[in-house]
Structure formats: C-alpha cells, structure tokens
C-alpha cells in the first residue's frame, strides 16, 4: 500500500498532542500532559491555552521525528475543532490551518467525541474491531455519553450527562477525600482493596439513558462531613472502603445505563472510550457482562482511551479517504455537537 501520512493535532483540554498515522497504523503518538493544573486541583483554562502555545511546535516536531518523516511527506492535517475549551482549541486550530496552508495540503476538522469512538479503528496487534451498529460509552473528565454508531460518520447521541462528567465525579469525590488531582486513578487504586458495599450511596434518578453526577458529589461531601464529626480520622481509617463504595456506585450506574441502551436498541456490541475506561471496576463489569449477558465488549489500548492525537489522526484518515475537507475559514467550536 502507498504511504499516506496524516498528522493529527489535539488541543481541546489540557493535553497538547500530535500523532502521525499511515494507513490505519500509528507511526508516532506524542502527548505533552500539562502538569501546571495539578496545584489548582483542576484544569485552569487560561493556563491550558498558554501551555498549548508553548508545547505545540515541539510536540509536532517530535511526532514528525518519531515517525521518521519530513513535513513535506504529510498528505493532510487533521485537528480537533471541538468540543473543548475555546482558548485551548484555538491554539490547535490556528496551528493546523497555518501548517495546511503552508504545505498546501487538505485541512480536516475532527469532532473530539467522534474521535474517542473511532479510536477503536486504529490498527493494533491484538485488537478486535467493533461491528456496526454498536453502542459507544464515552467516559472521561469532560464527557459522558452513550452513542449509537451506525457507521463511521453516522452517530447519534442517545444519552448523556445532565451535569458533571463521570471523571469529574471521580475527581471531585477524590478531592473531598483529600486526594490530589486527578483523583480518579487513586480512587481506583484504593477501591481495589476495599469493600464496595461498606457505604451505600444512592444512584441519581434521571431518564433511562441519561446521567447525573452532581448529587453523588454532594452525597459524598455530606457523608464525609458527618462521619468526620464523629471520628476526625474517619477518612484516613476507612479510605479503601469509601473509595470502593464510590466506585461501585458509579460503575453500577454506568452499567445500568448500558443495559437500558441494549434493551432499547437491541445492540449488544459495546465499545467504551475516554480516560475513565482505565478504571478496573468498569473493565471487570464489562468482562462480566460478556459472560453473563452475551455482550461483545471493546476497550481500546490505554493510550488511545485518554486524550490523544492518534484518535484525531485516524478520523483524519477516514475523512481524507472520503474527501471530507475543511475550508480555511473554519472556526474552533467549544460546544461542537456530534
Ligand atoms: O480522557 P481523559 O484523559 O481526559 C478528558 O477528560 O477528556 O480523562 C481523564 C479523566 C480524569 O477525570 C481521571 O480522573 C479519569 O479520567 N481516570 C480515571 C481512571 N483513570 C483516569 N477514573 C477512574 N479510574 C481510573 N483508573
Ligand atoms: Zn476526551
């Protein structure tokens, strides 16, 4: 097959990323994660934008160097148009436009949420691919959606969060427990040694395919305040059980919604994506669902779950082959719909 190098650029939140893909295979995948937000306990948009400005040129250079190609070898430039933080998106969008214009190659806009789903089509050694139609559950710090995927570019959001994203539920609960940002992976770590039934938290009631996580955060806060009044060392002495109980509630809630989606659509091919896909509880629950419910489940390699540019590049390639190009007057769109 002839080489067809496509550069993907991702700058929607706090990761500056660039990747090169060639006929479905990732030849380089570079991510500069911004550490600056750690001390603030969450992403600070203005600081994210500034860090993208510093990172973007070196990150793209590194992606080209690792791919062992020259910029003149690129067939197209794909970039994240949205959704995301405006100041962050602007950096990647402007850079991609200039580079495409300078090299006189097509510019391709990518929807970040579609990219999380189409990351399943990046070629890897062991990977099975979801068959259309499938249900995608995208779970991260910025999004929580259930999407019915009929084809590469035929997607319908059938459920989503009405307030916080699931990753925020993990991170905000972790913050209440005094854990550093982002707390999701730490909640997961402690949960593995705890009793998931130690402290029951109620699952918020919304539509069958929608989510709400703001109530859970408040429930955790009141619970911790109440128990700490009785025992100042409550969190320290029961951290594993608290984390296990929070994680159990969240995972059970996600699985309830997936079951509703399967019931409503009759589709049992389930693909997940987004940073929270790393969670051991959701992974185990999906494996159990394969055995008990006859679902077929797909989890991408971890580096393609969290925010990355390889997923932008694969969408770029699919759009390049379909000749779906953007004009130079395209604008970054913070609340871009599917
Ligand atoms: O996709 P991602 O890297 O960035 C976006 O938010 O788009 O997702 C990051 C989120 C954070 O909220 C982080 O706490 C969560 O994913 N996360 C986890 C785990 N690993 C990452 N949450 C629970 N368990 C994990 N193992
Ligand atoms: Zn994302």
């Amino acid at each position: 097959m002839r080489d067809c190098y496509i550069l993907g650029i991702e700058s929607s939140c706090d990761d500056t990323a660039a990747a090169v893909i060639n006929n479905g295979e990732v030849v380089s995948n570079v991510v500069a994660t911004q550490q600056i937000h750690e001390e603030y306990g969450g992403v600070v948009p203005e600081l994210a934008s500034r860090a993208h400005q510093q990172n973007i040129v070196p990150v793209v250079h590194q992606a080209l160097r690792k791919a062992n190609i020259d910029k003149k070898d690129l067939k197209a430039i794909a970039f994240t148009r949205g959704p995301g933080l405006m100041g962050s998106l602007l950096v990647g969008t402007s850079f991609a436009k200039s580079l495409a214009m300078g090299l006189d190659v097509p510019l391709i806009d990518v929807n970040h949420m579609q990219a999380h789903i189409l990351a399943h089509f990046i070629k890897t050694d062991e990977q099975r691919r979801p068959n259309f139609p499938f249900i995608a559950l995208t779970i991260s710090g910025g999004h929580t959606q259930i999407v019915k995927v009929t084809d590469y570019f035929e997607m319908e959001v059938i459920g989503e969060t009405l307030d916080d994203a699931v990753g925020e539920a993990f991170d905000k609960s972790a913050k209440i427990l005094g854990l550093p940002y982002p707390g999701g992976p730490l909640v997961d770590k402690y949960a593995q040694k705890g009793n998931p039934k130690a402290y029951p938290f109620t699952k918020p009631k919304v539509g069958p395919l929608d989510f709400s996580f703001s109530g859970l955060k408040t429930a955790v806060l009141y619970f911790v305040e109440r128990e700490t009044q009785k025992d100042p060392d409550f969190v320290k002495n029961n951290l594993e059980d608290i984390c296990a109980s929070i994680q159990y509630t969240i995972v059970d809630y996600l699985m309830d919604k997936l079951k509703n989606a399967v019931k409503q659509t009759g589709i049992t091919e389930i693909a997940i994506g987004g940073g929270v896909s790393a969670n051991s509880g959701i992974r185990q629950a999906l494996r159990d669902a394969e055995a008990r419910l006859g679902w077929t489940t797909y989890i991408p390699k971890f580096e393609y779950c969290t925010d990355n540019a390889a997923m932008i590049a694969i969408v770029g390639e699919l759009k390049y082959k379909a000749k779906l190009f953007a004009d130079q007057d395209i604008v970054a769109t913070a609340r871009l719909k599917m």
Side-chain angles (χ1 to χ4, degrees):
M1 216 184 300
R2 294 233 312 274
D3 283 335
C4 177
Y5 294 108
I6 311 271
L7 175 71
I9 294 171
E10 155 65 29
S11 73
S12 65
C13 189
D14 60 341
D15 293 302
T16 319
V20 177
I21 208 159
N22 183 19
N23 293 307
E25 265 171 53
V26 175
V27 285
S28 68
N29 186 27
V30 179
V31 185
T33 301
Q34 304 175 359
Q35 303 299 343
I36 178 96
H37 309 288
E38 216 167 284
E39 56 191 279
Y40 298 94
V43 177
V44 185
E46 174 67 20
L47 296 179
S49 173
R50 289 185 205 187
H52 283 305
Q53 291 219 52
Q54 287 177 335
N55 294 343
I56 189 114
V57 171
V59 163
V60 169
H61 262 295
Q62 207 182 339
L64 292 175
R65 200 168 53 239
K66 283 196 172 165
N68 204 15
I69 60 167
D70 185 79
K71 57 184 180 301
K72 295 202 176 66
D73 298 322
L74 293 170
K75 289 276 186 283
I77 312 297
F79 70 97
T80 304
R81 180 184 175 196
L85 302 170
M86 189 43 120
S88 291
L89 291 166
L90 274 174
V91 178
T93 305
S94 311
F95 184 89
K97 281 189 186 188
S98 318
L99 187 58
M101 188 186 262
L103 296 173
D104 195 22
V105 295
L107 175 69
I108 299 173
D109 60 305
V110 174
N111 180 308
H112 180 92
M113 298 309 298
Q114 276 193 341
H116 268 302
I117 295 170
L118 295 175
H120 285 274
F121 295 93
I122 294 169
K123 280 188 195 153
T124 61
D125 302 337
E126 81 287 0
Q127 190 189 334
R128 302 164 301 133
R129 316 267 185 96
N131 299 296
F132 297 115
F134 64 89
I135 298 291
L137 173 71
T138 42
I139 41 178
S140 78
H143 17 76
T144 307
Q145 288 186 329
I146 301 181
V147 184
K148 183 178 164 191
V149 186
T150 314
D151 205 341
Y152 294 125
F153 302 114
E154 245 183 273
M155 302 187 184
E156 185 194 349
V157 178
I158 56 173
E160 64 189 323
T161 182
L162 306 177
D163 42 57
D164 290 351
V166 58
E168 281 180 282
F170 272 106
D171 296 340
K172 288 177 178 174
S173 301
K175 195 171 175 180
I176 294 167
L177 301 176
L179 300 172
Y181 174 85
L186 292 169
V187 172
D188 189 4
K189 187 180 120 189
Y190 292 117
Q192 291 178 39
K193 292 197 204 125
N195 171 10
K197 303 274 175 71
Y199 308 107
F201 294 104
T202 35
K203 294 184 278 184
K205 283 191 186 54
V206 287
L209 301 184
D210 287 329
F211 303 86
S212 167
F213 289 103
S214 60
L216 178 65
K217 172 190 66 191
T218 316
V220 171
L221 178 66
Y222 289 163
F223 165 76
V224 167
E225 280 179 357
R226 199 172 58 236
E227 295 300 325
T228 309
Q229 271 172 10
K230 290 185 244 163
D231 168 15
D233 288 332
F234 174 75
V235 170
K236 201 173 93 201
N237 293 337
N238 300 282
L239 188 59
E240 289 166 353
D241 285 349
I242 303 170
C243 288
S245 301
I246 293 169
Q247 179 159 310
Y248 173 80
T249 308
I250 294 176
V251 170
D252 206 38
Y253 192 51
L254 295 175
M255 291 305 290
D256 284 349
K257 302 296 174 169
L258 273 180
K259 284 177 197 158
N260 292 342
V262 168
K263 205 188 307 174
Q264 197 177 99
T265 61
I267 299 169
T268 54
E269 293 266 312
I270 311 291
I272 65 167
V276 181
S277 319
N279 184 264
S280 63
I282 187 78
R283 283 173 176 250
Q284 186 58 46
L286 287 173
R287 277 194 294 271
D288 291 348
E290 290 218 330
R292 285 194 304 111
L293 305 172
W295 297 0
T296 314
T297 64
Y298 303 87
I299 308 174
K301 278 175 79 177
F302 183 66
E303 63 259 45
Y304 306 141
C305 279
T306 53
D307 282 352
N308 68 89
M311 68 181 193
I312 306 304
I314 185 76
V315 182
E317 182 180 298
L318 291 164
K319 282 190 139 183
Y320 180 78
K321 290 186 172 157
K323 296 198 165 47
L324 296 168
F325 304 144
D327 291 325
Q328 277 285 339
D329 60 3
I330 192 155
V331 290
T333 307
R335 293 178 173 273
L336 187 65
K337 295 270 176 245
M338 275 276 200

